[in-house]
């Protein structure tokens, strides 16, 4: 029996309003206001921490502190030292105290240009500008992409947003970039019966190129652009990436790339030794390692999963899946490629949900909705907040600062969310091809 309710047309942006469109759930105006107030309160709380600490405690040393330190090193002409684990670890210890955990710096050299700008401001103001701007950009893109599904998409990734705000990480910023790619890629996709390369100017290549700061999280989107014949998008993306490489080379010298490469190699060894907080990662690699598997087995399995995820994107593009669903699966697949995938990175899951929730709202029953919520929250950092269930604030801060041992549920959560959303998308695509959706 076909669903007779009006549904989102395949030629429209996902955010388009359609009368009587089913939604997974909707918040009341009061609940939405409370949610926004909570996010604002967390932003102000974290800003206050960077102003000198709260409750008589020393200021926390979290991810944003590292961003700011690297920015200071840039202006001191010492940026190469941040890529040397043997030099940067003692520098962090001098600020944070010994045995408090080390946060390696492995970003491409382009990221140094950005954090250098942050270091021009007092740390608390730099944090506020960065976090508030990232949050605003995230919410704006998510609203445009999700439309009537905004409430559900936001709530389902709420733990990731909270982790990002508390640590000062860049998950909201990168989510806004991949979401912007999706928004721009959906413009001018033409007929709903196919993946559609569109006739746009290639502007979607700008956010794709800016993802050079975290290229491992954009592989599925690059493959999407390739498989759908978006040659202008790929050209713009390459141009943006090359421009950022040239800027970084001009600023730091060609030798910066050798230390970046060495840092990436050292990071791989660090990961293989289990020295990263695996319970905060959603990759198959992290899940296996945290369960006692060897590094070789975990890496081999991760490589297989990455190949399957990217192969899925290619296969669905060849089958000419409709643009919204194909983009949603490409986004999910992008975050299944790398073994290095943190809870804060899964702010971008909200963008995938924005694309795929129309199908989930139609096909998920009560049990399916609960299962999807549990999977999303498990993937997005629930383990971190589980550390504070007994009310131990220090345990929560230890988890956020990458110290301590906690159970790993993120991998199962992400795989479960991926499987459920893919199942609902397949049902939606089948109905669309049959003329029922």
């Amino acid at each position: 029996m076909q669903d007779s309710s009006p549904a989102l047309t395949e030629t429209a942006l996902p955010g388009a309003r359609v009368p009587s469109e089913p939604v997974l759930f909707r918040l009341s105006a009061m609940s939405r206001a409370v949610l926004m107030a909570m996010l604002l309160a967390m932003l102000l709380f974290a800003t206050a921490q960077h102003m000198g600490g709260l409750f008589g405690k020393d200021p926390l040393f979290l991810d944003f502190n590292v961003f700011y330190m690297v920015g200071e090193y840039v202006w001191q002409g010492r940026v190469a030292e941040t890529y040397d684990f043997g030099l940067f670890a003692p520098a962090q210890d001098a600020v944070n105290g010994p045995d408090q955990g080390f946060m390696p710096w492995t970003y491409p050299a382009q990221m140094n240009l950005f954090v250098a700008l942050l270091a021009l401001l007092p740390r608390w103001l730099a944090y506020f500008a960065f976090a508030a701007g990232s949050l605003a950009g995230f919410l704006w893109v998510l609203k445009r992409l999700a439309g009537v599904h905004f409430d559900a998409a936001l709530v389902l990734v709420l733990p990731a947003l909270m982790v990002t705000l508390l640590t000062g990480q860049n998950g909201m910023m990168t989510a806004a970039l991949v979401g912007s790619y999706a928004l721009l890629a959906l413009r001018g996709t033409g007929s709903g019966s196919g993946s559609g390369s569109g006739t746009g100017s290639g502007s979607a290549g700008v956010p794709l190129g800016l993802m050079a700061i975290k290229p491992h999280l954009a592989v599925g989107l690059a493959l999407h652009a390739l498989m759908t014949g978006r040659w202008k998008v790929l050209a713009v993306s390459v141009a943006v990436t090359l421009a950022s490489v040239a800027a970084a080379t001009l600023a730091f010298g060609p030798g910066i790339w050798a230390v970046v490469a060495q840092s990436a190699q050292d990071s791989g060894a660090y990961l293989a030794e289990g020295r990263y907080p695996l319970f905060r990662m959603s990759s198959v690699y992290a899940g296996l390692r945290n369960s006692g598997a060897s590094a070789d087995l975990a890496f081999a399995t991760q490589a297989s999963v990455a190949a399957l995820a990217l192969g899925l994107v290619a296969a669905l593009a060849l089958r000419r899946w409709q643009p919204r669903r194909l983009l949603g699966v490409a986004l999910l697949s992008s975050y299944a490629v790398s073994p290095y995938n943190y809870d804060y990175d899964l702010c971008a899951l909200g963008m995938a949900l924005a694309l795929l929730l129309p199908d989930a709202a139609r096909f998920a029953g009560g049990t399916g909705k609960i299962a999807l919520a549990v999977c999303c929250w498990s993937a997005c950092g629930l383990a971190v907040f589980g550390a504070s269930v007994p009310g131990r604030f220090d345990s929560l801060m230890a988890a956020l600062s990458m110290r301590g041992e906690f159970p790993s549920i993120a991998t199962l959560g992400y795989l479960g969310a991926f499987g459920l959303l893919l199942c609902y998308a397949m049902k939606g695509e089948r109905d669309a091809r049959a003329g029922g959706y």
Side-chain angles (χ1 to χ4, degrees):
M1 179 177 174
Q2 293 179 353
D3 188 338
S4 60
S5 62
L8 180 68
T9 60
E10 299 300 334
T11 56
L13 287 177
R17 287 186 174 272
V18 179
S20 303
E21 181 183 348
V23 295
L24 204 68
F25 61 83
R26 194 190 307 272
L27 298 177
S28 67
M30 177 62 72
S31 297
R32 193 178 301 114
V34 169
L35 178 58
M36 294 301 170
M38 183 189 72
L39 292 174
L40 177 60
M42 296 190 76
L43 172 66
L44 296 177
F45 170 85
T47 301
Q49 283 289 339
H50 288 286
M51 295 178 71
L54 293 174
F55 312 123
K57 295 179 179 293
D58 293 333
L60 298 174
F61 188 87
L62 298 171
D63 302 60
F64 186 80
N65 298 72
V66 178
F67 292 171
Y68 197 81
M69 280 185 69
V70 174
E72 291 178 320
Y73 272 52
V74 169
W75 294 114
Q76 296 167 13
R78 303 165 56 197
V79 69
E81 295 178 25
T82 64
Y83 290 99
D84 187 324
F85 289 16
L87 294 176
F88 202 37
Q92 290 186 28
D93 286 344
V95 177
N96 192 30
D99 303 320
Q100 297 299 307
F102 169 53
M103 298 184 221
W105 183 253
T106 58
Y107 282 92
Q110 299 98 310
M111 186 66 172
N112 300 323
L113 299 172
F114 177 72
V115 296
L117 297 177
L118 295 176
L120 294 174
L121 301 171
R123 194 179 73 223
W124 70 269
L125 183 56
Y127 167 80
F128 181 82
F130 172 62
S134 297
L135 177 61
F138 173 86
L139 293 174
W140 186 84
V141 174
L142 185 66
K143 179 61 176 175
R144 291 290 307 277
L145 203 59
V148 297
H149 302 280
F150 173 78
D151 290 345
L154 180 62
V155 170
L156 290 177
V157 295
L158 188 58
L161 292 178
M162 295 168 68
V163 169
T164 304
L165 285 170
L166 288 173
T167 60
Q169 256 293 349
N170 53 32
M172 294 182 299
M173 181 178 74
T174 54
L177 287 175
V178 298
S180 295
Y181 171 83
L183 269 176
L184 294 169
L186 284 170
R187 296 187 185 280
T189 51
S191 171
S193 59
S195 55
S197 61
T199 58
S201 63
S203 56
V206 174
L208 186 59
L210 291 175
M211 280 299 292
I213 61 170
K214 279 196 167 181
H216 57 291
L217 300 182
V219 177
L221 297 183
L223 179 61
H224 169 271
L226 177 66
M227 294 300 300
T228 55
R230 298 172 187 272
W231 311 119
K232 290 182 181 179
V233 169
L234 289 170
V236 171
S237 174
V238 170
V240 170
T241 301
L242 290 178
S244 67
V245 168
T249 304
L250 183 63
F252 309 121
I256 191 65
W257 298 107
V259 296
V260 170
Q262 182 61 51
S263 176
Q265 182 177 337
D266 293 342
S267 179
Y270 209 75
L271 184 63
E273 293 166 7
R275 299 174 68 183
Y276 283 113
L278 298 174
F279 78 97
R280 288 187 55 191
M281 296 184 182
S282 60
S283 66
V284 169
Y285 172 87
L288 288 174
R289 285 289 282 143
N290 214 31
S291 300
S294 68
D296 289 341
L297 175 61
F299 270 126
T301 307
Q302 179 66 51
S304 299
V305 169
L308 287 172
L310 295 177
L312 176 65
V313 175
L316 298 184
L318 291 174
R319 294 192 62 185
R320 299 185 62 79
W321 262 37
Q322 291 162 330
R324 171 176 55 80
R325 296 189 183 99
L326 180 59
L327 264 170
V329 174
L331 253 172
L332 288 174
S333 297
S334 277
Y335 286 75
V337 170
S338 173
Y340 190 89
N341 225 25
Y342 276 109
D343 39 28
Y344 51 76
D345 290 320
L346 289 188
C347 290
L349 178 58
M351 302 302 170
L353 287 164
L355 294 161
L356 299 174
L357 277 178
D359 290 325
R362 291 185 69 229
F363 297 111
T367 302
K369 292 178 181 180
I370 294 173
L372 182 60
V374 169
C375 288
C376 287
W377 275 40
S378 297
C380 289
L382 189 62
V384 170
F385 295 96
S388 64
V389 167
R392 295 174 57 206
F393 181 78
D394 289 340
S395 294
L396 172 60
M397 292 301 105
L400 288 172
S401 59
M402 302 187 179
R403 306 191 309 273
E405 297 293 334
F406 304 94
S408 178
I409 58 174
T411 301
L412 292 177
Y414 192 72
L415 292 176
F418 195 140
L420 287 170
L421 290 169
L422 178 61
C423 178
Y424 299 141
M426 291 174 68
K427 290 181 178 180
E429 184 71 15
R430 181 191 61 205
D431 276 14
R433 289 175 184 266
Y437 184 27

